[in-house]
Amino acid sequence: MEAEYLRHGVPLADYQLTRADHSRQHEAVQVHEWLQRHVVQAPRWSDKHGEQMQDLLGPPTPAWELQRWRLRLYCGHVIEATRLRKNPRPDGALGDKECCPECGLDPDVIVAFEPLRAVAAPPPDKRSRMPSHSARKPPGDRRSKAELVAENEALRAELDTLRDQA
């Protein structure tokens, strides 16, 4: 199901900052500074721990699940950014701020936005998005086509035998 994408502050070039925008930017700067102070104090992760986190997070998001947006940042610059396609707006959850590539303001809250386009078209068949049954099994549990055909034939023979007995 395609999300109905929202717009805010269009046209972006004419957007005027509000009190709420100033407040969100101030709060984002405070949170960013607090995190920076505490991250510096945190122990460094081992490479093994980093790999475990990578495994936990899984593979990168496929391109067809992403949407391009034009964003107006607090600093006034307009940029393009990518967000998950299922979200109707780009500034929800953790994606409400950026680092401005033009002036370097970090964090720089999103104050206005408009959807552009999907990064890629979704696969033609919804089922192709889901991993196949064999893809979910551990490698040692996968059976060859010949083994599956033999099992199928044995089950059909057993079914025929049961039908004959009935």
Side-chain angles (χ1 to χ4, degrees):
M1 183 172 115
E2 188 73 26
E4 185 176 325
Y5 299 115
L6 303 175
R7 299 171 183 273
H8 174 70
V10 177
L12 302 181
D14 297 337
Y15 182 80
Q16 298 294 313
L17 294 174
T18 65
R19 273 191 188 170
D21 296 331
H22 292 295
S23 177
R24 285 181 39 241
Q25 178 65 25
H26 179 71
E27 181 181 329
V29 168
Q30 287 181 320
V31 168
H32 183 77
E33 289 172 352
W34 184 90
L35 283 170
Q36 291 301 315
R37 284 193 307 270
H38 288 83
V39 166
V40 168
Q41 297 171 2
R44 180 159 160 56
W45 279 5
S46 68
D47 290 341
K48 182 181 178 187
H49 190 81
E51 290 170 7
Q52 289 172 336
M53 288 303 296
Q54 209 48 16
D55 290 342
L56 180 66
L57 293 172
T61 304
W64 55 268
E65 289 185 4
L66 300 173
Q67 171 74 19
R68 293 292 292 169
W69 293 84
R70 183 172 290 122
L71 309 175
R72 164 89 184 241
L73 302 176
Y74 179 81
C75 65
H77 292 115
V78 176
I79 65 168
E80 285 189 18
T82 304
R83 296 288 192 273
L84 287 176
R85 195 172 183 171
K86 66 183 177 181
N87 297 329
R89 45 186 303 145
D91 61 348
L94 302 173
D96 64 340
K97 47 194 147 307
E98 291 280 327
C99 175
C100 180
E102 294 186 39
C103 69
L105 183 60
D106 184 20
D108 201 351
V109 296
I110 299 167
V111 295
F113 52 85
E114 64 182 337
L116 294 176
R117 65 194 171 285
V119 172
D125 185 351
K126 225 179 178 181
R127 288 175 293 175
S128 65
R129 296 184 210 177
M130 301 300 289
S132 68
H133 181 67
S134 62
R136 284 182 263 147
K137 286 187 169 189
D141 291 347
R142 293 187 186 144
R143 295 182 284 173
S144 71
K145 184 176 179 180
E147 290 171 319
L148 292 171
V149 168
E151 181 181 357
N152 189 12
E153 291 173 356
L155 289 170
R156 286 184 187 279
E158 184 179 337
L159 181 61
D160 289 341
T161 305
L162 290 171
R163 282 185 184 151
D164 291 342
Q165 291 175 356

